[in-house]
């Protein structure tokens, strides 16, 4: 297939503009779309996401990737809006994903798709699991290394976080130290039942490909297995090796075998599910 067209859009998000990339085949025929959502400290142009989106478009999909408004990252991959990063909440992430899907179905990102799928990585996977039961227009889901709980911090960390008013988070890619405010803790406490990812997983009825590596150094494989147990209809791809990003780095170096295996399985999943 010919090289896909890349178009850039902006949408209103919970904490500021959503920067959206849309890759699609050059012909204007109706086609299914897949929304790609990054994780914590991630962004749409991180390592594996552009080549995967390119693969999706070459396979005949419209690939929609975006920087969540709480990412704080601009179109050049810089943390230009650290205040947004510091104020992220799960409520905001859910609202952002819902906004992108709504814009897609409404034709604001190009021709309205025939069907829609969602792929979420890491925190983006957890956000997708929480959101999909409320978006009946979404007909397929894939998660890569998804979180199984929103409780990511021990009590001692949360206590110090509130006492200081912020938690320092280091971006290993740039060395920047970015403050995260207690907004996310307040949001979790206010919506604890709503943010039970395992319970939400049990409510998902659309075809779901769940990918996780046994040696994931960021999100323990136990979280992936808990999601799989809660959603027995999900198809699980549990890799022995691959880490949190299946061998991918930023910038991407080469084509890691684990990453290519995950790409192939995910595109096959959406091809079967979004006919």
């Amino acid at each position: 297939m010919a090289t896909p067209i890349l178009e850039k859009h902006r949408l209103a998000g919970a904490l500021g503009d959503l920067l959206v990339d849309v890759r699609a085949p050059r012909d204007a025929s109706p086609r299914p779309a897949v929304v790609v959502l990054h994780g914590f400290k991630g962004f749409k142009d991180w390592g594996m996401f552009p080549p995967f989106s390119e693969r999706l478009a070459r396979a005949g999909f419209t690939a929609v990737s975006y920087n969540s408004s709480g990412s704080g990252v601009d179109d050049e991959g810089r943390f230009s809006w650290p205040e947004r990063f510091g104020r992220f909440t799960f409520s905001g992430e859910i609202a952002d994903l819902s906004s992108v899907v709504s814009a897609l179905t409404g034709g604001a990102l190009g021709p309205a798709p025939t069907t829609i799928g969602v792929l979420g990585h890491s925190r983006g996977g957890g956000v997708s699991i929480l959101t999909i039961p409320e978006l009946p227009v979404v007909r397929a889901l894939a998660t890569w290394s998804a979180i199984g709980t929103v409780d990511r911090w021990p009590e001692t960390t949360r206590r110090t976080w509130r006492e200081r008013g912020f938690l320092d988070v280091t971006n290993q890619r740039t060395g920047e130290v970015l403050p995260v405010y207690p907004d996310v803790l307040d949001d979790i406490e206010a919506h604890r039942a709503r943010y039970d990812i395992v319970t939400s997983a049990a409510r998902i009825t659309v075809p779901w490909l769940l990918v996780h590596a046994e040696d994931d150094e960021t999100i323990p494989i136990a979280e992936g297995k808990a999601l799989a147990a809660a959603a027995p209809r999900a198809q699980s791809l549990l890799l022995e090796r691959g880490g949190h990003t299946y061998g991918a780095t930023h910038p991407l170096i080469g084509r890691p075998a684990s990453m290519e295996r995950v790409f192939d399985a995910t595109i096959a999943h959406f091809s079967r599910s979004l006919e």
Side-chain angles (χ1 to χ4, degrees):
M1 182 176 291
T3 302
I5 297 171
L6 169 61
E7 295 183 347
K8 291 184 174 290
H9 299 262
R10 284 178 178 261
L11 298 173
L15 293 171
D17 284 352
L18 302 172
L19 305 181
V20 185
D21 285 356
V22 179
R23 292 175 173 83
R26 291 178 180 274
D27 68 275
S29 59
R31 63 179 58 86
V34 175
V35 178
V36 178
L37 176 55
H38 62 79
F40 184 53
K41 294 189 285 186
F43 50 101
K44 62 181 173 60
D45 294 309
W46 192 93
M48 61 189 172
F49 296 120
F52 178 69
S53 297
E54 189 83 3
R55 281 276 307 273
L56 278 170
R58 289 180 182 275
F61 297 93
T62 295
V64 181
S65 56
Y66 69 99
N67 287 350
S68 71
S69 64
S71 72
V73 178
D74 65 17
D75 234 0
E76 304 301 321
R78 298 181 300 248
F79 275 95
S80 293
W81 302 293
E83 188 72 8
R84 297 185 194 175
F85 178 80
R87 300 290 181 187
F88 93 90
T89 61
F90 284 94
S91 291
E93 299 278 307
I94 291 168
D96 285 350
L97 176 55
S98 298
S99 293
V100 171
V101 170
S102 179
L104 190 55
T105 57
L109 300 177
T114 54
T115 53
I116 297 174
V118 170
L119 162 70
H121 174 247
S122 195
R123 187 178 77 191
V127 169
S128 300
I129 294 166
L130 292 173
T131 310
I132 295 312
E134 300 176 359
L135 293 177
V137 69
V138 174
R139 304 302 299 273
L141 171 66
T143 56
W144 294 350
S145 311
I147 62 171
T149 175
V150 298
D151 290 314
R152 313 307 307 170
W153 309 275
E155 176 58 33
T156 54
T157 299
R158 296 198 300 270
R159 187 182 309 117
T160 302
W161 188 347
R162 289 195 178 281
E163 289 171 354
R164 296 178 64 198
F166 62 92
L167 176 72
D168 283 333
V169 173
T170 301
N171 179 3
Q172 300 299 330
R173 176 175 61 92
T174 66
E176 296 169 277
V177 178
L178 303 167
V180 175
Y181 306 107
D183 300 42
V184 63
L185 299 181
D186 296 339
D187 183 49
I188 290 170
E189 290 180 6
H191 303 94
R192 182 160 294 282
R194 166 72 181 85
Y195 294 165
D196 187 325
I197 297 175
V198 171
T199 296
S200 188
R203 298 171 54 208
I204 292 176
T205 58
V206 301
W208 177 5
L209 175 67
L210 190 159
V211 183
H212 215 112
E214 294 276 356
D215 64 346
D216 191 324
E217 70 284 2
T218 303
I219 309 299
I221 185 62
E223 295 188 40
K225 290 181 176 179
L227 293 173
R233 295 177 59 184
Q235 175 191 352
S236 296
L237 173 58
L238 301 181
L239 306 177
E240 183 177 350
R241 300 185 63 81
H244 190 55
T245 58
Y246 315 121
T249 57
H250 183 81
L252 184 65
I253 300 173
R255 309 290 292 197
S258 293
M259 183 190 80
E260 288 294 324
R261 181 183 176 189
V262 171
F263 281 13
D264 290 345
T266 305
I267 290 172
H269 168 68
F270 284 128
S271 295
R272 290 191 302 269
S273 306
L274 300 175
E275 297 178 339

